[in-house]
Amino acid sequence: MTKPRVRKLFLAAAALAVVAGGTAFAVLARDRREVTTRSAEAYRFYRQGLENERRLYHKDALAAYAKALELDPHFAMATLRLAGLFAGRDRDRARSLVQCAAQSREVLNEHERLMLDIAEAELLAGDPKRAAERIRAYVERFPEDPEGYFRLAGVLVREGKPDETLATYERLVALDPNQAIAYNYLGYYFVRRRDFVKGEDFFKRYRFLAPDQANPYDSLGELYANTGRYAEAEEHLKRALEIKPDFLPAVGHLGTLEASRGNAEGAVTWYRRASDMAETWKERYAFAGAAVMALLDVGRPEDALALLDEVVAAAPHRDGKDAVVIRWSYLRSRAIVLALAGRVDEAEAELAGLPELPPDLDADGKMALEKSLSGPKAAFASARGDLEGAVRHFREILAAETERGMGDFGYYPSIFRVRARLADALVALGRREEAREELRPVLAVNPRFAPALEVLARIDGRAAATTGDAGR
Amino acid sequence: MTPAPPAARRRAIVVVGVVGALIALMSVADMFLPKAWDGVVPDTYAESGLQVRAVVRGGPAEAAGIRPGDTILGIGRRMLNTPAEAASELGRQAAGETVPYLIKRGEQVLEREVLLSPYRLGSASYVYYALLGGLFFGLGLFVYSRRAGDEAAEVFFLLCVLFMLFFVCRLRPSSYYWIDWFVQVAGTLALFLLGAVFLHFFLLFPRRKVFRFAEARPGEEPPAAPLVLLQRFLNGSPALFVILYTLPPAFYALQMAVLRRTGDRSALVYGAPRANWILLADYLVLGLLALAHSWWTAREKTTRRPILVLLLGTLGGIVPFVLFAVYFPSLFRDERYLAWGVVPMALVPLTFAYAIVRFRLFDVQVIVGKSIVYAILTAIVTGLYALAVVAGNALVSSRTLSPLFAFAFGLAVVLLVDPLRRRMQAVVDRVFFRDRADFQSAFRDISRQVVAQLDRGKMQQLLTERTAELLRLSRLDLLTPRPEDGALADPRRGDVALPVGAALGRLLVERDAPVPLRDLDAWALDAPSRTFLKAQLERGVRVLVPVATRGRLLGVLAAGEKKSEEEFHKEDLDNLVTIANQGALGLEVAALHEQLTRRAEVERDLEIARDIQVSLFPRELPRIAGIELYGISLPAKVVGGDFYDFLPVDGGFDGRVALVVGDVSGKSIPASLLMVAAKEIVYARSMQDPEPSTVFRESNRRIYEIKRRMFVSLGYFLYDPLQLTLHYSIGGQPLPLVVRGGEAVELPAPVSRLPLGALRDTTYDAKTFWLRKGDLLLFYTDGLNEAMSVENAYFGDERLKASLVRHSAAPLPEMAEEILEDIRQFTFGAEQSDDATFVLLRVTGAKPAPAGSV
C-alpha cells in the first residue's frame, strides 16, 4: 500500500474518530445536563435562586425563580423550586406549580423526573412516607448530589433518627466541604442535642464560609442568646440585620435575647417588629405569640389580648380543619392571657368554648393540642392560688415538651420561662431545693437566664443582683 | 533475591538520579519563587486536617495569633482538609491581602485574619543547604558517570542523591504548594535510606568489608558457633542488607502505630519519628566505624593515605551533623544548633572531591588544568593583596603614622605577591600534579623501554616486575610460548601451561581485551583451559591480558589482584592493555632482531662456505702438454652446487688428467655440501680406477646413499695426452661442444646419461673422442645455456654455440669473458637463476708437460 493512500486512510479514520467522539460526548452531556431549560438567562436566575435559597433568603430566591420562569415558562426545576418555597405559605399554589412542572415530564432528565416524583408525593399526594421513599431512591441514584442528602436529612429528622441524620450531614460535608448551609444544619443538630460547643463550631464554619450572609450570624446569635452570651448574641444578630435588614429570624432572635436577659419590654418591641415584618400570617402569628408572652412578662395583659385579637383578625380566610385549629389555639391563648391577668372566670369561659377538634386531625397533632391545655390550667391554678395545682400543670407542660424532644429553641424562651414559673411556685410552697433542681437544667444551658436568676435569688433569700442586664 | 541485571540496574539508578534532581530543583524553585505566605509550617504527617506544626517567628500567622498545635479548618472562605488544598487556596490569594483563617484550638473554633506577605521561603541557610545538596549531587554524578557499572560508585551516587534530597527537601519549611507533597515524601525517603546507604557504601568502599573475628587459627580452639554464624551472616548474607534497609521503614511504621495509639506527637522530630532520627545517627556512626576500620586494616601507605583523608573529612562532617542536627533535636528538642550540624557537612563532598583529584579515588582520574588552578591562585593572591592594601590603609588612617609607612607597606605587599603566588603554585604542584606526573612519566618510561629493549629477559622484567610495581599489582607475569611446544607459560616457572589451540587462547585472541577471570565461564572452555585457569586462580591471578598482534597471540599478561584489594577499574585495564600492546611490539621487535642476527650469522657462514668452496676449485689451472685450459664457476647464491676440477690419474705418471665438471641439484649450502661430497667421492673413485664408467657406477651408488632425491650431474673426461683422446662418461650434463673447422658441435653422447644418485644401481658407458690440434672444447653445466632473460627465455644451445664460435680465436680467458658478456647481455637485468660453470679446452698439440703439475 502506498504512503499517500495510508495517509488518506489515517486522516479519514481520525476524522471519523473525532466525529464519533463528539457525538458520544454530546449524547452523554445531554444525559448529564443538570436541568432542562432553553434559556441560558433563565438558568442563570435559577442558579441565583438556588444560591439565595441556600442563604435562606427565601424572598430573593422566590423572585429569582419567578424571573427564571418568566424567561422559560417550561422550566420544570425552577417551577418545582418555586413550589417548594410556596409549600409553607400557600399550599394550593405550590400544588398547582407541581402540576405545571409535571406537564413537562417527558422532556425532563432522570434527575429532574425524580425531583418531580418527590414534589408530587410531598405536595400533590401529601404522603410524607412516599416522599421519603422517593428521596431515598434519589440519593441511591445520585449519591454524589448534595441536594439528595439535604432532603434525606430532613426526612431523618422527621423520622426521629438522630444518628442517621448526623451521618447524612457528615456525608454531605464530605461530598462538598464548602456546602455552607450543611454546617448550619449540623450546628442545629448539635444544638438540639444540647452540644452547644459543637453547635457553635459548625455555626462558625458556616459563618466562615458565608460571611456575607445573615443566616450564619443569626444562627450564632440565637445560640449565644439562648446560652447567656448576650453581648456576642447582640453583636451577631445586629450584624445579621446589617447584612440583611429584613432578615426576620434575626429580628425575632433579638426578641429572644431581650427576653432571656430580662428585658421584656425590649423583647416585646422586637417581637412586634418581627410580627409586622412577617410575610405570612403563620410567621406573624408566631411572633405575635412571642410578643404576647413578653407582654405578660411585663404585666400588660390587656395589650397582649389586643395583640392576639389583632393577629387572629388578620388571619386569612380558611375553611375546615385549619380554621378549627386556629380558632382552638386562639381561644386557648386568650384563656392563658386572661388567667394571668387575673380574669379567671373569663378565662374558663374561653376554655369552655373551645371547639371540637376535627376528627380527621392526625393523632400526634391532636395529642399535642390537648396537652397544650396544661398551660391555661397552670395559669388558672396560679391565679386561684392553687400552687400545688400550678406545679402539677407546669410539670405536665414540661413532660409534654420532653416527649416532643425539647430541643428546639422558640423565639420566646417559653420552656425556660415555664421552669422559672414552676420554680417560683415551688419557692412559694417553701420547697426551695425542689425549686433549685427545676432551675438547674435552665441554668445549665443559659446560666444568665434572667427569670431563672430572679427565682434563684429568691430561693437563696437575696435580691436578684445578677440579672441578664448586669451582664451587658 | 536475584540481583537486577546490570543494564536494568543502571537504568533504575539513572531514573532515581533524574527524579531526585527534579524534585530538588522543584523544591529550590518553590523556595525562591515569591508567593503569598502565611508563615504556617503544617504538619504533613497529620492524619487529617491541616495541623500547624510551627509558625515562623515574626511571620503573618504568628502576628494573627495562630499557634503551633492549631488546626486550620479553612482559608479564604474555603474549608480545607490537606496542605495541598491550603496551597491551592493560598495560590489564589495575593501577597498583601488579608485572608480569613478558620482554626480550631482545642474545642474552640476561631477565625483569624492573616495578612499574607510576599515571601521567598528560601533563607540564607536554605541557600547553603541547596548548594550543599548540589555539591553532593554533582560529585555523585561525576563519579557515577566515570564509573558506571562499579557497585561502589553506584552506591556512592545514590548516597549523594539522598544527601541532596535530605538537605534540599528535608530541611525546608513547607510552602503549602502541591510540590510540598513530593518534596516531603522525597525528604522522608532520604531520611529513611540515607543512613542505610551510608553504611552500605562504607561496607563496600574502599574495599568490600570482610569480617574475620571468628576465624579458626591453628593451635587454638575453634571460635564459638554463634560467632561463626554471625561472621558468615555479616560477610556473605544478602539478609544483612535486607535488614539494613528494612529497619528504617519498620521503625517508622512501628512508631507511627504507637503515636496513633497514644496520640503523643512529641516523639516527632521535624515531623518524623524520633526513632528514625536515632537510627539515622546510628547508621552514620557505624559507617564511620567501617571507614575507620578500613583505614586501620589497610596495609599499604598509598592506600592508607586517601582513606585517612576521607576519614578525617567524613568525621569532620558527620560528627557535628549527628550531634547538632540529629541528637540535639531528637533528645533535647533543641533545634537552635541545626546549622552547626549542617554547615560542616560540606567537608564530606569536598574531602571526596579532594581525594578524587589527589588520590584518584574510585580510580577516577581528574586532570585539572594547571592554567585554571594558577588563574584561581592568582585571583586569590590578588584578593589577599587587595585585603592587605585595605588593611594597611585602615591602619594608616586610624593612627597617626608617617605617610612613608603606607608607601613602604604597599611596596612590601607588592614585592611579596609574586613570591607568595610562586610558593602556592609549588604547593599545588606538589599536592595535585606531581604524583600524577610521576606516574605518567614512569608509565611512559616503561612503555618506551619495553619497545626499545631487545633482550627478552630484560623485557620480561620490565613488563612484569616494574609494571606491577607501578600499577600496584600483587603480581604480573608474562606467559610466552615455550620453545619446545609453543604452549604459553611463564619461562621463570614450571607452571601449568596453556597449550597451543586451547579454547582460552582463541578466546583471548578473539576478545583482544583484558579478561577478568571471574567473568569467564570456565565450563564453556575445554579441559586444558580449565586446568590452566585453575592454576592461575590458585596463583592469585585475576585478569588475563592478551599480548597479541595481527591476530597472533605472542603472550599473555597474567595480573594478580591490586595491592589495595580494590576491584580492577577501567583505567587499570587500560593501563594493562597499553603495556600489553607495548609488550607485543617489543616481542615482535625482539623476534625480528633475533631473526636478523641469525641471518647475519648464516650469511657469515655462507661467506665462509664460499671461501671454502672457492678454495676447492683449482687455484691455478694445470699445465698439460698439448692443451690449454680455462675454467669458471659462477654460483647463483653465495655458494653453489657446480664444480669443476682436474684430477691427475694413476699418480700423473702417464700424464692423464681427468676433467670433472659437476652440477648438484639444488642451490646454496645443501648443494655446496653435496658438491664437496660428490667431488671427494669422484676423486676417491678415480684414484682407484680412472675408467669413467667405473667412476660413475661407483660414485652413483655412494651419492645415492648420501641423500635421496638429490642428484649430481657430472661430466668426467679423461684426457690422454699420448693418444690425444678424451675418454668420457656424462650423467645429466649437457654434452660438451667442440669447435672444429669454425663449427661448434656436441661431443658424441654416451648411452647412459642418468645423473648420479638418481637410481641406486645404474651402469654407465663411456665414449672416446679423438682430439685434433686446434680443437676448442667447451665443458659446461646447464646454468650456462639455460641462463634466462627477463622474458624467461633461455640463452640456449644455439646462442652458446654461436658465441663460442664467434670468440673461438681469442685467448681462453678473454674468450670466457666474451661468452659471459654475451650471456649477460642476453639476461640483462634478470637474476642468475642457476649456478653456471664451464671449462674451455684448446688443443695446442704441444708435448705433454711433466706430471703432477695440476
Side-chain angles (χ1 to χ4, degrees):
Chain A
M1 199 179 284
T2 57
K3 274 188 180 178
R5 204 166 171 187
V6 171
R7 194 179 298 165
K8 278 179 187 172
L9 275 175
F10 176 76
L11 285 173
L16 196 67
V18 167
V19 170
T23 310
F25 178 78
V27 169
L28 290 172
R30 186 172 175 275
D31 282 346
R32 285 165 182 268
R33 70 200 160 161
E34 190 187 3
V35 289
T36 306
T37 177
R38 294 173 194 162
S39 163
E41 193 68 1
Y43 178 71
R44 197 171 63 76
F45 279 109
Y46 171 75
R47 298 289 307 173
Q48 215 174 69
L50 275 184
E51 184 58 32
N52 282 323
E53 212 176 340
R54 278 183 192 163
R55 293 173 175 222
L56 305 185
Y57 298 173
H58 292 146
K59 205 165 125 186
D60 298 341
L62 199 140
Y65 291 139
K67 190 77 185 165
L69 283 176
E70 265 180 40
L71 294 164
D72 179 7
H74 302 289
F75 192 166
M77 278 310 290
T79 314
L80 286 179
R81 294 279 176 198
L82 203 57
L85 285 178
F86 276 112
R89 58 187 80 183
D90 188 343
R91 208 167 179 84
D92 292 338
R93 190 164 176 195
R95 282 185 189 128
S96 76
L97 283 167
V98 173
Q99 283 165 344
C100 242
Q103 289 174 3
S104 311
R105 176 180 286 277
E106 292 308 310
V107 297
L108 301 181
N109 61 28
E110 188 185 2
H111 160 258
E112 290 170 314
R113 280 199 298 274
L114 280 172
M115 281 292 181
L116 180 61
D117 288 346
I118 293 167
E120 283 175 341
E122 275 178 347
L123 296 171
L124 293 186
D127 185 347
K129 282 188 181 173
R130 200 167 121 202
E133 280 170 19
R134 297 282 162 86
I135 288 168
R136 286 195 167 91
Y138 180 88
V139 170
E140 201 170 316
R141 176 64 187 85
F142 297 106
E144 303 297 316
D145 186 2
E147 172 80 22
Y149 293 97
F150 274 124
R151 289 173 175 258
L152 181 60
V155 169
L156 292 168
V157 168
R158 282 198 298 276
E159 289 176 352
K161 294 176 176 170
D163 293 339
E164 287 178 49
T165 308
L166 178 64
T168 305
Y169 280 130
E170 284 174 345
R171 171 79 180 134
L172 182 57
V173 171
L175 265 181
D176 180 5
N178 293 300
Q179 190 73 251
I181 192 67
Y183 293 102
N184 194 41
Y185 289 123
L186 276 165
Y188 276 112
Y189 173 86
F190 285 106
V191 165
R192 281 190 205 106
R193 304 181 74 78
R194 291 289 188 266
D195 188 343
F196 300 115
V197 173
K198 275 194 179 168
E200 185 185 0
D201 177 336
F202 284 108
F203 286 147
K204 280 183 172 174
R205 292 176 197 226
Y206 180 30
R207 180 184 63 184
F208 176 74
L209 288 174
D212 56 338
Q213 296 179 22
N215 195 44
Y217 292 96
D218 173 62
S219 297
L220 274 168
E222 183 188 358
L223 173 67
Y224 294 146
N226 283 302
T227 52
R229 293 159 70 178
Y230 300 139
E232 290 167 86
E234 189 170 357
E235 181 193 338
H236 278 78
L237 293 169
K238 287 190 172 168
R239 174 81 184 123
L241 290 180
E242 275 174 29
I243 293 169
K244 192 157 180 67
D246 61 347
F247 194 70
L248 201 58
V251 179
H253 287 132
L254 276 165
T256 311
L257 169 66
E258 296 305 334
S260 298
R261 61 169 34 150
N263 180 13
E265 286 289 357
V268 170
T269 308
W270 287 112
Y271 289 144
R272 291 205 69 149
R273 187 187 293 180
S275 180
D276 293 343
M277 286 165 65
E279 287 176 46
T280 64
W281 180 82
K282 201 174 175 181
E283 285 172 337
R284 195 173 168 193
Y285 182 71
F287 286 117
V292 165
M293 299 308 288
L295 283 167
L296 289 176
D297 286 342
V298 293
R300 291 162 57 191
E302 295 307 324
D303 291 343
L305 279 175
L307 179 62
L308 200 59
D309 293 343
E310 181 190 326
V311 173
V312 172
H317 175 72
R318 287 171 192 262
D319 294 327
K321 193 166 64 177
D322 286 351
V324 174
V325 170
I326 289 169
R327 175 77 185 155
W328 197 95
S329 299
Y330 167 65
L331 291 176
R332 188 207 60 165
S333 300
R334 270 189 68 84
I336 293 170
V337 174
L338 288 169
L340 290 176
R343 294 155 63 182
V344 181
D345 295 338
E346 288 174 65
E348 282 183 336
E350 295 288 359
L351 215 53
L354 282 177
E356 282 290 321
L357 286 171
D360 58 342
L361 191 68
D362 64 276
D364 289 346
K366 198 171 181 180
M367 190 181 290
L369 285 172
E370 282 169 355
K371 283 188 176 176
S372 72
L373 289 176
S374 300
K377 285 174 184 172
F380 297 161
S382 296
R384 288 185 186 130
D386 176 10
L387 295 177
E388 287 291 354
V391 166
R392 191 175 64 251
H393 290 304
F394 282 134
R395 282 187 170 149
E396 282 172 7
I397 296 169
L398 293 175
E401 280 300 319
T402 309
E403 281 172 21
R404 278 163 49 189
M406 206 183 153
D408 215 343
F409 297 110
Y411 284 106
Y412 180 77
S414 54
I415 301 303
F416 287 1
R417 195 73 184 85
V418 166
R419 279 196 182 275
R421 288 182 191 279
L422 169 60
D424 200 21
L426 288 169
V427 171
L429 287 168
R431 290 151 61 178
R432 290 172 182 272
E433 285 314 305
E434 231 177 302
R436 195 187 298 280
E437 283 306 309
E438 289 300 338
L439 290 176
R440 199 180 298 282
V442 177
L443 295 173
V445 174
N446 183 356
R448 297 169 66 194
F449 187 66
L453 290 177
E454 282 172 25
V455 178
L456 193 63
R458 279 203 294 282
I459 292 170
D460 295 339
R462 55 183 168 81
T466 311
T467 66
D469 287 330
R472 295 176 75 174
Chain B
M1 194 165 56
T2 311
R9 200 175 59 211
R10 208 169 300 160
R11 271 197 295 274
I13 288 171
V14 169
V15 167
V16 167
V18 170
V19 171
L22 283 177
I23 289 177
L25 281 176
M26 283 198 305
S27 174
V28 173
D30 185 35
M31 286 291 101
F32 293 103
L33 288 175
K35 52 175 74 86
W37 177 68
D38 60 5
V40 168
V41 182
D43 184 349
T44 46
Y45 297 92
E47 284 168 24
S48 65
L50 178 60
Q51 293 194 0
V52 180
R53 194 172 88 202
V55 289
V56 176
R57 197 171 296 169
E62 191 188 56
I66 295 175
R67 298 180 199 159
D70 288 349
T71 301
I72 296 178
L73 300 174
I75 296 176
R77 306 299 172 199
R78 291 186 71 80
M79 302 303 283
L80 309 168
N81 278 321
T82 62
E85 289 175 1
S88 153
E89 190 53 42
L90 275 179
R92 276 196 282 270
Q93 311 293 338
E97 280 184 0
T98 301
V99 175
Y101 275 55
L102 187 69
I103 59 171
K104 186 158 190 177
R105 182 176 301 156
E107 289 294 313
Q108 272 189 311
V109 172
L110 306 168
E111 206 168 305
R112 293 283 182 265
E113 297 289 321
V114 177
L115 176 61
L116 298 177
S117 63
Y119 194 70
R120 288 180 174 84
L121 286 173
S123 58
S125 53
Y126 187 74
V127 171
Y128 180 79
Y129 301 155
L131 287 175
L132 185 57
L135 188 61
F136 267 106
F137 184 75
L139 180 69
L141 188 64
F142 173 74
V143 170
Y144 184 65
S145 67
R146 301 290 291 269
R147 282 283 174 225
D150 180 298
E151 192 183 355
E154 287 173 350
V155 177
F156 183 72
F157 177 59
L158 289 179
L159 179 66
C160 288
V161 171
L162 289 172
F163 264 122
M164 173 188 68
L165 289 176
F166 184 84
F167 291 123
V168 175
C169 301
R170 199 64 222 166
L171 304 180
R172 59 165 247 162
S174 290
S175 68
Y176 271 141
Y177 282 76
W178 58 268
I179 293 170
D180 252 4
W181 187 86
F182 293 97
V183 170
Q184 296 285 344
V185 167
T188 305
L189 275 176
L191 169 70
F192 284 177
L193 295 175
L194 181 60
V197 176
F198 185 83
L199 178 54
H200 183 176
F201 174 65
F202 283 115
L203 287 176
L204 290 179
F205 184 84
R207 59 178 178 271
R208 189 178 287 278
K209 195 130 318 291
V210 179
F211 296 93
R212 300 179 198 281
F213 54 80
E215 285 194 338
R217 290 178 187 168
E220 289 183 8
E221 282 198 7
L227 279 179
V228 175
L229 284 175
L230 179 63
Q231 178 176 288
R232 201 175 299 158
F233 170 71
L234 290 175
N235 283 340
S237 171
L240 171 67
F241 289 100
V242 172
I243 291 174
L244 200 68
Y245 283 100
T246 311
L247 271 183
F251 268 48
Y252 177 80
L254 189 67
Q255 191 146 351
M256 289 311 275
V258 171
L259 285 176
R260 186 169 291 185
R261 185 173 282 268
T262 61
D264 175 17
R265 301 183 66 77
S266 65
L268 294 180
V269 181
Y270 305 126
R274 184 187 297 151
N276 279 86
W277 287 95
I278 301 290
L279 189 65
L280 167 67
D282 293 346
Y283 274 164
L284 293 178
V285 171
L286 284 174
L288 282 177
L289 289 176
L291 180 60
H293 180 264
S294 296
W295 173 72
W296 185 257
T297 52
R299 290 172 296 182
E300 286 222 330
K301 189 183 168 190
T302 48
T303 315
R304 284 168 68 90
R305 273 174 62 200
I307 302 179
L308 180 63
V309 169
L310 285 187
L311 179 61
L312 292 176
T314 314
L315 270 174
I318 295 291
V319 170
F321 179 75
V322 167
L323 281 178
F324 297 114
V326 179
Y327 280 139
F328 260 60
S330 306
L331 302 180
F332 309 116
R333 305 202 68 75
D334 191 343
E335 299 170 12
R336 281 177 298 171
Y337 306 107
L338 179 67
W340 293 24
V342 178
V343 169
M345 276 299 285
L347 276 174
V348 178
L350 290 176
T351 309
F352 268 87
Y354 170 79
I356 287 169
V357 175
R358 176 78 175 79
F359 304 112
R360 290 202 303 165
L361 203 68
F362 294 103
D363 278 319
V364 172
Q365 185 172 354
V366 180
I367 297 170
V368 182
K370 273 193 180 183
S371 55
I372 293 173
V373 176
Y374 287 171
I376 293 168
L377 277 180
T378 307
I380 291 170
V381 171
T382 309
L384 289 174
Y385 164 72
L387 273 177
V389 169
V390 169
N393 284 336
L395 199 64
V396 171
S397 61
S398 62
R399 296 181 187 181
T400 312
L401 291 171
S402 164
L404 278 176
F405 175 81
F407 175 74
F409 189 85
L411 191 64
V413 168
V414 169
L415 289 175
L416 282 173
V417 164
D418 197 51
L420 178 63
R421 188 176 65 83
R422 285 175 189 279
R423 183 62 61 88
M424 288 175 75
Q425 280 182 4
V427 171
V428 168
D429 281 350
R430 190 171 64 247
V431 172
F432 289 105
F433 296 108
R434 182 163 298 169
D435 279 3
R436 182 68 37 76
D438 288 351
F439 175 80
Q440 286 170 351
S441 166
F443 198 72
R444 271 199 307 272
D445 200 30
I446 288 182
S447 299
R448 202 165 38 235
Q449 285 184 43
V450 163
V451 179
Q453 186 55 253
L454 297 176
D455 183 330
R456 275 177 180 264
K458 287 180 180 170
M459 189 193 303
Q460 181 108 16
Q461 191 187 11
L462 280 170
L463 283 174
T464 55
E465 292 171 17
R466 281 203 57 194
T467 307
E469 192 182 347
L470 189 65
L471 298 180
R472 297 183 212 154
L473 301 175
S474 59
R475 65 181 310 136
L476 185 62
D477 303 328
L478 177 62
L479 314 181
T480 47
R482 281 196 304 221
E484 59 268 30
D485 57 1
L488 289 172
D490 187 346
R492 295 171 300 183
R493 295 183 182 82
D495 283 331
V496 175
L498 181 66
V500 174
L504 180 59
R506 291 199 301 275
L507 184 139
L508 286 167
V509 172
E510 277 168 20
R511 288 205 188 170
D512 195 22
V515 177
L517 296 197
R518 67 172 185 191
D519 293 352
L520 274 178
D521 180 8
W523 295 108
L525 299 173
D526 52 11
S529 301
R530 283 203 298 273
T531 311
F532 174 78
L533 272 183
K534 190 181 171 200
Q536 294 301 319
L537 280 168
E538 283 169 359
R539 283 174 57 198
V541 172
R542 295 288 173 265
V543 177
L544 293 177
V545 188
V547 180
T549 177
R550 295 190 294 275
R552 276 192 311 125
L553 193 62
L554 304 177
V556 170
L557 278 173
E561 65 176 0
K562 290 165 75 176
K563 286 180 181 172
S564 61
E565 296 178 24
E566 291 168 0
E567 293 297 318
F568 275 87
H569 296 305
K570 186 173 178 299
E571 198 176 329
D572 302 317
L573 300 177
D574 288 347
N575 286 334
L576 282 171
V577 167
T578 305
I579 283 293
N581 289 341
Q582 297 295 323
L585 197 58
L587 287 173
E588 281 265 279
V589 170
L592 198 61
H593 175 71
E594 283 168 7
Q595 204 176 343
L596 287 172
T597 307
R598 272 202 303 277
R599 180 175 290 181
E601 285 170 358
V602 167
E603 282 174 359
R604 195 170 64 245
D605 291 348
L606 282 173
E607 284 297 328
I608 294 167
R610 180 188 168 84
D611 290 346
I612 294 169
Q613 195 177 25
V614 168
S615 71
L616 292 176
F617 287 101
R619 283 190 192 131
E620 56 184 34
L621 294 167
R623 291 183 182 176
I624 300 169
I627 57 173
E628 287 176 11
L629 290 166
Y630 189 77
I632 286 179
S633 181
L634 298 170
K637 305 285 177 185
V638 178
V639 288
D642 286 7
F643 63 93
Y644 70 92
D645 208 350
F646 304 96
L647 310 175
V649 295
D650 292 339
F653 294 110
D654 57 359
R656 288 191 300 172
V657 173
L659 167 60
V660 181
V661 177
D663 179 5
V664 177
S665 66
K667 296 173 194 70
S668 197
I669 299 290
S672 64
L673 285 173
L674 187 61
M675 179 270 270
V676 172
K679 189 178 169 186
E680 289 308 312
I681 290 166
V682 170
Y683 184 81
R685 297 298 167 201
S686 69
M687 287 300 107
Q688 290 171 5
D689 182 357
E691 171 52 36
S693 58
T694 308
V695 170
F696 264 58
R697 190 180 65 250
E698 295 300 323
S699 297
N700 173 58
R701 188 173 297 131
R702 181 72 189 101
I703 288 167
Y704 181 85
E705 286 168 358
I706 292 173
K707 183 78 179 172
R708 292 181 188 183
R709 288 184 296 280
M710 280 195 80
F711 321 116
V712 177
S713 59
L714 191 72
Y716 183 88
F717 307 93
L718 189 60
Y719 171 67
D720 187 344
L722 298 177
Q723 298 184 32
L724 207 58
T725 58
L726 274 178
H727 188 56
Y728 60 93
S729 289
I730 295 175
Q733 282 269 358
L735 289 170
L737 299 175
V738 58
V739 180
R740 183 178 285 173
E743 191 181 359
V745 293
E746 291 164 345
L747 290 189
V751 175
S752 174
R753 290 178 61 193
L754 276 174
L756 300 186
L759 294 171
R760 183 181 173 82
D761 293 314
T762 306
T763 54
Y764 294 87
D765 60 324
K767 288 280 182 186
T768 301
F769 182 73
W770 298 91
L771 297 168
R772 293 180 195 166
K773 186 179 176 183
D775 281 350
L776 177 66
L777 285 90
L778 174 67
F779 307 90
Y780 63 97
T781 60
D782 56 2
L784 204 65
N785 60 338
E786 291 180 0
M788 280 202 293
S789 69
V790 288
E791 292 87 13
N792 292 333
Y794 289 123
F795 186 65
D797 295 341
E798 293 311 314
R799 284 194 188 84
L800 185 59
K801 284 175 184 174
S803 177
L804 184 63
V805 169
R806 192 161 54 248
H807 305 297
S808 59
L812 293 185
E814 289 172 25
M815 190 192 308
E817 279 305 314
E818 292 298 334
I819 290 169
L820 286 175
E821 183 58 29
D822 285 348
I823 292 171
R824 274 196 288 270
Q825 282 185 6
F826 177 77
T827 63
F828 179 76
E831 193 184 350
Q832 185 183 342
S833 57
D834 198 0
D835 299 342
T837 299
F838 64 92
V839 174
L840 290 166
L841 184 153
R842 194 195 297 273
V843 181
T844 55
K847 287 184 180 179
S853 62
V854 172

